[in-house]
């Protein structure tokens, strides 16, 4: 049995492809890749069929991470059955998934798995959308996702 993980953002060209790529990279390094069914998607449709944003590809590449994603929109008819965890990049993505009928107990905020935030007074667990900013925003997002993916693997790898 594999655990299904769906990383979800708005456009599926910046944050969720990075989360997917970082998770695959870390799971491979830990020898755990065959335990997971991993994909990413967007709640929006604007970029369907596109590869990730070039700035996301560049940030990932500098860190030795490949991004296999081709953008697609979430499919409530199949995704909510196929995936055990729907990992939303921000609160807005999370609400969109719940509105579309995703079971609330399977929708989590990605940064809730960051062990460095555990117990901290954090009111905002959003991965900020880097789309309209500069390249440094992608480096910040990448570092956040490295910590969150590490925590997610710590938790799921125990099982
Ligand atoms: P993402 O970033 O949700 O991290 O993929 C975005 C990409 C595109 C748009 C918004 C956010 N857009 O409005 O086109």
């Amino acid at each position: 049995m594999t655990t299904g993980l769906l990383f979800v953002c708005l456009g599926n060209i910046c944050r969720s492809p990075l989360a997917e790529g970082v998770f695959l990279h870390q799971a491979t390094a830990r020898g755990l890749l065959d335990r997971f069914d991993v994909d990413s998607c967007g709640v929006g449709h604007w970029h369907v069929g596109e590869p990730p944003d070039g700035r996301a590809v560049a940030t990932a590449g500098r860190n030795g991470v490949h991004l296999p994603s081709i953008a697609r929109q979430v499919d409530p008819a199949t995704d909510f059955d196929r995936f055990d965890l729907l990992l939303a990049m921000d609160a807005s993505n999370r609400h969109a998934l719940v509105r579309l009928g995703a079971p609330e107990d399977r929708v989590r905020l990605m940064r809730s798995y960051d062990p460095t935030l555990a117990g901290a007074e954090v009111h905002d667990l959003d991965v900020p959308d880097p789309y309209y900013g500069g390249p440094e925003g992608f480096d910040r997002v990448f570092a956040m996702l490295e910590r969150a993916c590490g925590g997610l693997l710590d938790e799921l790898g125990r099982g």
Side-chain angles (χ1 to χ4, degrees):
M1 268 295 285
T2 57
T3 300
L5 302 177
L6 184 62
F7 297 97
V8 184
C9 63
L10 180 58
N12 194 209
I13 55 169
C14 300
R15 292 166 293 174
S16 60
L18 280 168
E20 177 187 17
V22 168
F23 186 88
L24 292 170
H25 185 80
Q26 292 187 358
T28 301
R30 296 191 194 198
L32 297 175
L33 188 61
D34 60 357
R35 292 179 43 180
F36 299 103
D37 171 23
V38 178
D39 199 3
S40 68
C41 70
V43 297
H45 59 83
W46 311 282
H47 297 281
V48 168
E50 295 179 18
D53 187 285
R55 296 164 294 176
V57 173
T59 292
R62 275 196 301 280
N63 290 278
V65 170
H66 170 65
L67 304 182
S69 167
I70 296 294
R72 73 170 179 89
Q73 190 172 23
V74 65
D75 180 0
T78 56
D79 286 333
F80 302 157
D81 284 333
R82 174 177 161 201
F83 295 99
D84 300 289
L85 277 179
L86 308 166
L87 295 150
M89 296 300 127
D90 65 30
S92 158
N93 308 149
R94 183 180 195 291
H95 288 136
L97 289 169
V98 170
R99 254 194 334 269
L100 289 168
E104 272 197 72
D105 61 332
R106 282 195 263 138
V107 185
R108 306 285 169 80
L109 284 174
M110 185 65 201
R111 290 186 79 201
S112 68
Y113 290 94
D114 181 340
T116 69
L117 299 179
E121 275 287 311
V122 180
H123 302 288
D124 176 1
L125 283 176
D126 289 357
V127 179
D129 187 345
Y131 185 65
Y132 294 104
E136 70 287 348
F138 284 80
D139 291 336
R140 261 189 80 219
V141 163
F142 188 90
M144 282 179 191
L145 292 171
E146 278 191 311
R147 293 191 295 271
C149 284
L152 180 60
L153 267 166
D154 286 346
E155 184 160 324
L156 298 177
R158 272 199 290 271

